Each structure stands twice: as C-alpha cells, then as structure tokens.
Amino acid sequence: MPARNILVINCGSSSIKFALINEAHSDFVLSGLAERLGSPDAQLHWQRGGEKDSLILPNADHRVALAQVLPLVQSAAGGQLHGIGHRVVHGGEHFTAACRLDALSLSAIRATAPLAPLHNPANLLGIEAAIKLFPNLTQVAVFDTAFHQTLPEHAYRYALPEYLYREHGVRRYGFHGTSHRYVSQRAAELAGLPIGNSSWLVAHLGNGCSTCAIVDGQSRDTSMGLTPLEGLVMGTRSGDVDPNLHSHLARTLGWSLEQIDTLLNKDSGLLGLSGLSNDMRSLEQAREQGHAGATLAIEVFCYRLAKSLAAMSCALPQLDGLIFTGGIGENSPLIRSKTVAHLQLLGLALDEQANVSPVRGASGAIHAPGHPRVLVVPTNEEHQIALDTLELLEA
C-alpha cells in the first residue's frame, strides 16, 4: 500500500493552521496559516519544501480560505488525500479518544461548546467547511481533553456541590492532551522504556502552559481545569489566583465579569507581571538588561512551574523523567535551569552544558549523571493528530 496523506486542520476564530502529512515522512509535505479571516486583511501563507508563498484574501471566511487551500493540498498530495484530522479543544466527558465525524459526533461537539465558547465554535467552523469541500473523505476529530479522561475522580472533581458536576459538567478537564501524549510516548522511546511501564512529569510551555503526570501512558493529573485558565503562569493568562478575586475586584473597583475575565485571560501572566511582553524571548533579553518587571515575571513563572511539577509528582508511583516541551520548554535553557533548581527534593539536577545544547526541533537528555532523567522533547501535535486519523482509517 502506498504511503497515505493526511491533512491536519486547526481552526481558531479567525485563523486556520494546516499541515499535510505523509505517513512515510517526518517533515510536513505542505504547511500553512490562513489568518485574520473575516477581515479586509485576511491572508493565506504556505510553505512547500523550501518554497514559501502568500495570497491576499480580503474578507475571506473559513470556507473561502479552505477552498483556496484545497488545490494546494491536492497538488502536494499528488491527488491522493486519504483523510482529514481536526483539532477540537473540548470534548467534555463524551469523548475519551479521537472519533470519526458524523451527525452524532458533530451534535456532541456542539453540545460541549458552552465549556469552550472561544474554541469549539471556531473548531466547528473549520469542520463544517471541510465536510462541504471534502464530503467523501473520512474526517476525524482529535480532542485536547480526551487524553485526560483517565484522571481519577479525586483528581478531576472540584470541592463543590454534587449537582454542579452532575448537571452542569463543572469539573477539571485538562488541555494540551495531544501534546502530553505525544511527548511522553517519544520520551519512553528515547529512554528505551515501555510506555506501558513508565512514569513521567511533563511541562508543556508556550503561550499556554500546563503540566501533566503520566503513568503507563495515561494521564493521572494535569494543571489546567474546567478551562485553560487554571494552573501555571502563562503568556497572558494568570493561572491560579484566589477564587475570591472576582468578588474582590467587583466590590472594590466595580468591575464587571467581562472586565475581570479579560484581565485574567488577556492582560495577566507574563505580560501582566512584566508590564512589557508575553514573549519569553523578549523577557529574557530585557532581564539581561536589568528590567525589573521581566526579572520578576521569569522568577514567578519558574517557581510556579516547579510547584506544579512537585504537586504532579503525587500522582506518580516513581519518576522516570521530567520532559520539557513547547516553544519555551524546547528553547529556553534559562527557564529549564531555574525550574529544575527548585526541584532538588525530587533529586533533579541538570548538566548545564547539555542544557544549552538542544536546538529547535532536536530532542536531548540534559540531566546530570546519576540523577533522574530530564529530557527536551519537541512536541508535534499535528503528527499525533495524523496518527490518530490513520488509526481510525484502518479501523
């Protein structure tokens, strides 16, 4: 059988990321981004091999953008496209794994939209547009939350009245599941351990950040909760704050729920602490120049990350290693070094020379000899979505 081609689509409210993946190759055959959809500035950018190109698409919506992507994909795939995998942020309790898209599964994704009002409707836009354009292709949804459906009840329940969980689904769901699953499997391969008999701590660090405890290939705890706001300090998200902060700000400053929601999701995190930027690269440069806000943001980020990893260790029977992934996790020796320095009670220590060695896209072991593993493992969510799509094609 010739190697199959899978198109992976990740839709935001005004963007579409896409990648064409051939199962015989590790690199993308084609990848690109449609951005600013719905505006006069809508554009499509793509890369095939070493060639890059762009197209202006004034006021294009998701369907128009995908209609432009179609010929590019068909050409790159040699007319042989075998399936489409869609990233869907929230699957609630309904989805514990990837699923084929049909009327029933689409209805269930729509019903879950109140749990992810910013994400699931956007994901559905891309799915519906792709189904109209590719009606005869198998299409698959892969959920960020599905990997975390193995959390035990004591890890996913909030200390709230029962009816809020039973009737309204208020519980911890977790996100970044596709990334956590991919890098833990890859780490087990690199370490020569069976994924079904290994235990990992994972730090997925980008503009959004989360930690995860993974035992025998299953998620046992994670830092994000009902929404992606819970947990770590992130680019613009606050992470954990006193739950009474909402009423305090409403009472003392007269703020509305919308203002507080904007504060916690868009104006906080690294941006809020530093008063400068949500980009860790900019903050590291500013720290070198003595910027007090950038220095504080980095210190808080690393300390809170270490606290979360230490808490996640409660879910592990043993520690086979700590994995750093995501844009910050893969590319910042400073963040890795500062975080691990807070985790001496777990026996972790870095080889500082090895810590500065991994470059973008490369895996590497960075722990000091005689100490538990610390690995840098680049994530590849698109590849994992393609693998899940291929598995359902075979089924």
Side-chain angles (χ1 to χ4, degrees), residues 1-7 20-29 80 82 383 386-387 389-391 393-394:
M1 179 192 295
R4 292 163 295 179
N5 294 303
I6 301 296
L7 174 62
L20 178 64
I21 296 171
N22 181 281
E23 63 180 325
H25 301 284
S26 57
D27 295 332
F28 297 154
V29 179
Q80 297 295 312
H82 298 86
H383 186 69
L387 289 175
T389 303
L390 285 166
E391 190 173 321
L393 280 177
E394 290 164 358

Side-chain angles (χ1 to χ4, degrees), residues 216-250:
D216 301 341
Q218 296 188 325
S219 176
R220 288 288 181 255
D221 202 356
T222 189
S223 58
M224 285 179 166
L226 175 71
T227 75
L229 182 61
E230 185 178 342
L232 306 177
V233 174
M234 305 179 217
T236 63
R237 296 181 199 138
S238 64
D240 291 341
V241 294
D242 187 322
N244 213 34
L245 177 64
H246 282 74
S247 59
H248 174 75
L249 292 175

Side-chain angles (χ1 to χ4, degrees), residues 10 15 22 71 100 166 175 220 240 246 249 264 287 318 325 348 354 368 376 390 393:
N10 179 358
S15 67
N22 181 281
R100 285 176 181 260
R166 296 296 174 197
F175 300 89
R220 288 288 181 255
D240 291 341
H246 282 74
L249 292 175
L264 296 178
R287 172 183 173 272
Q318 81 264 351
T325 194
L348 297 169
V376 176
L390 285 166
L393 280 177

Side-chain angles (χ1 to χ4, degrees), residues 133-204:
L133 290 166
F134 306 92
N136 299 318
L137 269 184
T138 296
Q139 305 206 27
V140 169
V142 179
F143 301 89
D144 280 8
T145 52
F147 181 58
H148 301 300
Q149 284 299 300
T150 52
L151 263 63
E153 191 172 20
H154 65 257
Y156 72 71
R157 285 291 298 274
Y158 290 116
L160 295 170
E162 176 88 359
Y163 74 90
L164 285 172
Y165 168 59
R166 296 296 174 197
E167 298 174 26
H168 303 286
V170 177
R171 53 158 283 180
R172 303 182 68 250
Y173 290 97
F175 300 89
H176 294 144
T178 304
S179 175
H180 287 301
R181 179 158 60 110
Y182 177 83
V183 298
S184 59
Q185 291 172 348
R186 185 82 185 98
E189 290 174 16
L190 292 169
L193 297 172
I195 187 63
N197 185 23
S198 61
S199 297
W200 303 95
L201 293 175
V202 183
H204 174 105

